[in-house]
Each structure stands twice: as C-alpha cells, then as structure tokens.
Amino acid sequence: EIRIPEVKKYIERAKDYEPFTNVVVLFPCSSKKPYSTSKSHKFFINAINSSKMVVEEVILTSPYGLVPRALDGVVNYDIPVTGEWSFEEIELINNCLKNFLKKVEEKFDDYVVIAHLPEHYLDILELDDIVITSKENPTSEEALKNLTDTLKNYKELTKNKNINKKGQRIHNIQQLSKFQFGVNFIPNEIFINHKGQIFTEINNKNQQIASINPKNGLLILTLAGGELLWNAGGRDINYVEVNYKI
C-alpha cells in the first residue's frame, strides 16, 4: 500500500509538518475516519482536555506512517487493521517518527514522547526514551486516567513557550495549508467558527478566506483566500487537489 501514489504523495508532503508543542503523544489508528470522530479517539481527546495540556497528537498507522492531528481529516482508507506489521511498515513508521522528533528537538531542544499504545504498537517502536501510559487497552479507564495524570506531570516542560490551545488551532490550519498548497497563506490572526469557516481582517473588514471540506479535510478557498494564497506562493503553489482516499 505504501507504493500507492496518493500514499507516497501524503508521506512526502507530511514531512514538512512543523510541530507546535514539545509534548508528543502517540496514539493507535482507528477503523473509523477521521480518527477524531472514532469512539477511542474521543476518549483520548477527553483525557488530554482533562489534563489542560496542549500536546502534539500523532497517530501511528499504515500505510501513511504518521498522521498529526492537524492532518486527521485528510487521510481516508479502508484497510483492515490486523495487528501484524510488515518489515516495510515498521521501517516507514520508525523513519517518519525519527524525522518528526528531530524537528521537535530542533525547535524546542527539550521534549517528551508519551506512548499511549497497545502492545503490538509498542513492540515495533525503535525509540529509547518514551513514557508508556498504556500497555493493553488504551481506552480502559485506568489507561486514560494514567494518560491525564502523566500529562499533568509535564506542565513545566511547556512553560514560557507560548503554547496554548488557540495558537495550536491556528497552527493546525496553517500546517494544513502548507500540506495542501506547499505554502502557508493563513494569517496569524484568524477566527474559525463551528462550521469550520475561517475568517480574517482584510481592509478593516472581517472576510471569509476559506472553509474546511468535511468530506476530505482539505481547504476550500474563497476569492479573498485565493488572493492571499497567490500573494504567498505565486506560481509555486500545488493547485491540484489530491484525494487521499484509497
């Protein structure tokens, strides 16, 4: 599956993803997509919210390797999860993870990796220094409480680093723009409503520049958004929309 063109394109573009925070939590994938709509990931998100921490959520999966929460809506595949990993899948996941953690280290120097994963995921990780919050069932009450309590212990790690929920939401949209178009055109001051519509101030007026397509997780631009994109990237932009469903 790794050789499928859509998968190769995803892996190539996802390499440019910039981490937002130095607390990284690894999660397993789910059969329901987007992951955030699945029962298990709702439990994970609630556990994070209970800790009041801002974390970098990263889903480990085949055939995509790593899926940061910001790109959650983009991947859509229907491949049964068997619990058996091929050598190629193990190599891909570890290579993607090492590349990602290198970026975290370059940006923050100090960081922590928390693995909230079932055993068959833990078995394939080639990382020396990880904090394990779950070994059998990551959605059990005990495991979820352990995740919340463990995250609280790392509050000091994110102190004085300008890391907050609002900033992360804007960052995630900017990373989605970079993933989709090869350039970020989203300003630092935006408002996102409950429908996923994105607004910013242009000429002293609030104008919608984009919305998130619920079907494929990608940005749909308004005319104003298209102008911002052109000004940001000109002819070097990826204009062709790719459907990452396989």
Side-chain angles (χ1 to χ4, degrees), residues 35 44 48 74 80 85 91 113 125 130 133 189 203-204 226 230 239:
Y35 304 121
F44 301 155
I48 292 167
V74 168
W85 303 96
E91 192 178 40
V113 181
L125 291 185
I130 53 172
T133 51
E189 292 297 323
N203 301 328
N204 299 319
W230 175 260
Y239 282 107

Side-chain angles (χ1 to χ4, degrees), residues 158-207:
T158 59
K159 215 174 173 184
N160 306 322
K161 287 195 166 55
N162 198 25
I163 292 170
N164 57 64
K165 279 276 185 203
K166 186 189 172 191
Q168 185 177 44
R169 202 158 180 222
I170 294 166
H171 168 271
N172 285 359
I173 301 282
Q174 290 175 333
Q175 293 305 307
L176 178 60
S177 166
K178 207 164 76 168
F179 173 87
Q180 185 175 343
F181 300 109
V183 65
N184 168 40
F185 75 96
I186 303 285
N188 290 327
E189 292 297 323
I190 58 169
F191 165 71
I192 310 154
N193 69 15
H194 69 284
K195 293 178 185 169
Q197 294 169 320
I198 302 155
F199 296 83
T200 194
E201 196 175 287
I202 300 170
N203 301 328
N204 299 319
K205 274 189 349 199
N206 266 342
Q207 289 194 45

Side-chain angles (χ1 to χ4, degrees), residues 1-39:
E1 296 98 353
I2 293 162
R3 293 182 187 85
I4 296 168
E6 289 80 0
V7 174
K8 284 171 83 172
K9 194 163 287 237
Y10 170 87
I11 292 166
E12 206 46 51
R13 290 187 181 187
K15 281 180 186 168
D16 291 330
Y17 178 85
E18 289 290 330
F20 180 72
T21 164
N22 55 348
V23 177
V24 179
V25 186
L26 308 179
F27 289 123
C29 65
S30 62
S31 52
K32 189 176 181 184
K33 317 290 178 305
Y35 304 121
S36 53
T37 63
S38 71
K39 198 174 174 184

Side-chain angles (χ1 to χ4, degrees), residues 35-53:
Y35 304 121
S36 53
T37 63
S38 71
K39 198 174 174 184
S40 59
H41 279 252
K42 282 177 181 173
F43 284 138
F44 301 155
I45 292 163
N46 283 342
I48 292 167
N49 291 342
S50 298
S51 74
K52 296 189 165 47
M53 285 283 285

Side-chain angles (χ1 to χ4, degrees), residues 95-143:
N95 284 345
C96 289
L97 198 47
K98 280 169 193 165
N99 174 57
F100 180 77
L101 293 177
K102 193 178 167 200
K103 286 192 163 192
V104 178
E105 190 173 12
E106 282 167 1
K107 187 172 180 181
F108 296 102
D109 198 28
D110 207 8
Y111 68 95
V112 64
V113 181
I114 295 166
H116 195 75
L117 297 164
E119 197 135 13
H120 67 278
Y121 276 82
L122 292 169
D123 290 343
I124 67 163
L125 291 185
E126 295 166 6
L127 293 177
D128 299 326
D129 204 8
I130 53 172
V131 178
I132 296 166
T133 51
S134 154
K135 267 192 176 169
E136 287 167 18
N137 178 10
T139 59
S140 72
E141 208 172 307
E142 185 190 1

